[in-house]
Amino acid sequence: MKLPIPLDRPLVFFDLETTGVDTNTDRIVELALIRVSPQGDVLEKVRRFNPEMPLPPGATAIHGITDEDVADEATFSQRARSLAKLLEGCDLAGFNILRFDLPLIDNEFHRAGVHFGVKGRRLIDMQTIFHREEPRDLTAAAKFYLDRAHPEAHSALGDIRTSAAVLSAQLERYDELPRDIDGLHGYCEEVSQYLGPLSSWFRVVDGDLMLKKGKHRGIPLDEVARLDAGYLEWIRGLDDTRREVADAIDAAIERARAEE
């Protein structure tokens, strides 16, 4: 692989497949990297890891890796030192690494007790370049879908007029888009779900609320209600707990009691 830029030290392109999208709690199940030296030598590696947790069906549906595929693999902790040595002295590159891959792998190294720092490294994120060079704002959408400028940008009425026109153009362009509001809602929700105040404590995994922080992080709300209802009562009693969070906790505890 010959890059059109000079290198003064190795540049490692890398990508992760994971158990989910929470950089604090999810785990790596596959890591692929390409290490390019200043002389042009190329090293490619792919490693799978046992994440020490069940793979959610939603994650498997994306990357195709199952629990059986990684059952006999080493854990990240077991390979962390050799991986850190391979990355030592290298700059890092990838798509969306600044917001996802780097925070997640940094947490994996931390759990393994292996130092992995980005200080002094150059970080190249192709998504950042893409978004800066090809903006994904409403003005860009108007140009792409409507082939016209958006002279009323940041005027509320002008923005919504253009937004409505963009939706019509998207429906004409993409045959696979649902042709009803329920369907469009589901299509958007598959990518990004709005939790409102619930997002302070929960994320959605396969349609279920899951704790995203605290001692039971990564565990479904209903399971916590069965195992440790007192902890949920504690959350419910916090001064900053929103009504929506309290209602979700009450419903989970009620379901748990009904199963007893």
Side-chain angles (χ1 to χ4, degrees):
M1 175 185 292
K2 183 171 177 59
L3 297 174
I5 53 173
L7 301 179
D8 56 7
R9 59 187 178 194
L11 178 64
V12 172
F13 296 85
F14 78 102
D15 185 65
L16 308 177
E17 301 298 343
T18 66
T19 59
V21 296
D22 190 318
T23 57
N24 292 315
T25 61
D26 279 306
R27 302 299 183 91
I28 298 171
V29 293
E30 185 175 85
L31 181 150
L33 64 82
I34 300 175
R35 187 178 188 268
V36 185
S37 76
Q39 295 75 35
D41 300 318
V42 176
L43 172 68
E44 293 189 0
K45 280 185 176 291
V46 179
R47 290 286 183 269
R48 284 185 174 179
F49 305 96
N50 184 326
E52 302 179 274
M53 63 182 289
L55 272 160
T60 296
I62 292 172
H63 49 55
I65 301 171
T66 66
D67 289 326
E68 291 75 18
D69 292 332
V70 293
D72 298 325
E73 298 288 352
T75 65
F76 186 90
S77 293
Q78 291 171 321
R79 288 180 167 169
R81 292 192 184 281
S82 61
L83 179 58
K85 185 173 179 61
L86 179 63
L87 298 177
E88 187 175 352
C90 298
D91 295 323
L92 303 173
F95 194 90
N96 196 29
I97 62 170
L98 296 178
R99 293 192 302 174
F100 181 70
D101 301 81
L102 275 175
L104 200 150
I105 200 172
D106 188 40
N107 281 322
E108 287 276 37
F109 276 116
H110 178 73
R111 279 189 288 267
V114 174
H115 175 70
F116 171 76
V118 297
K119 186 177 181 181
R121 301 181 192 263
R122 277 78 63 94
L123 308 175
I124 314 301
D125 191 323
M126 284 74 84
Q127 185 186 70
T128 300
I129 296 172
F130 178 40
H131 287 177
R132 287 196 66 176
E133 296 300 321
E134 304 290 341
R136 285 316 192 239
D137 56 13
L138 185 56
T139 298
K143 177 62 178 175
F144 183 82
Y145 290 107
L146 308 174
D147 194 26
R148 63 174 172 80
H150 176 37
E152 298 176 292
H154 306 301
S155 154
L157 183 57
D159 282 351
I160 59 170
R161 283 173 175 161
T162 297
S163 296
V166 165
L167 175 59
S168 295
Q170 288 172 328
L171 288 165
E172 290 179 10
R173 179 181 288 259
Y174 305 121
D175 292 338
E176 67 273 20
L177 284 182
R179 260 50 190 176
D180 61 276
I181 295 298
D182 282 342
L184 285 173
H185 167 73
Y187 178 95
C188 293
E189 196 172 45
E190 285 181 10
V191 178
S192 181
Q193 296 188 18
Y194 177 68
L195 288 180
L198 289 174
S199 64
S200 60
W201 278 96
F202 307 114
R203 60 190 176 97
V204 176
V205 177
D206 297 324
D208 296 323
L209 289 179
M210 184 175 288
L211 271 293
K212 71 176 188 181
K213 61 182 179 180
K215 67 178 184 178
H216 292 305
R217 67 187 180 194
I219 300 177
L221 174 60
D222 281 2
E223 187 174 338
V224 178
R226 290 191 295 270
L227 301 175
D228 193 356
Y231 178 70
L232 295 180
E233 293 284 7
W234 171 76
I235 294 175
R236 194 187 188 290
L238 294 175
D239 290 340
D240 60 349
T241 295
R242 295 283 294 270
R243 177 75 257 167
E244 292 85 350
V245 174
D247 287 346
I249 288 173
D250 287 346
I253 292 175
E254 199 171 307
R255 287 192 294 271
R257 288 172 179 166
E259 294 175 2
E260 293 177 354

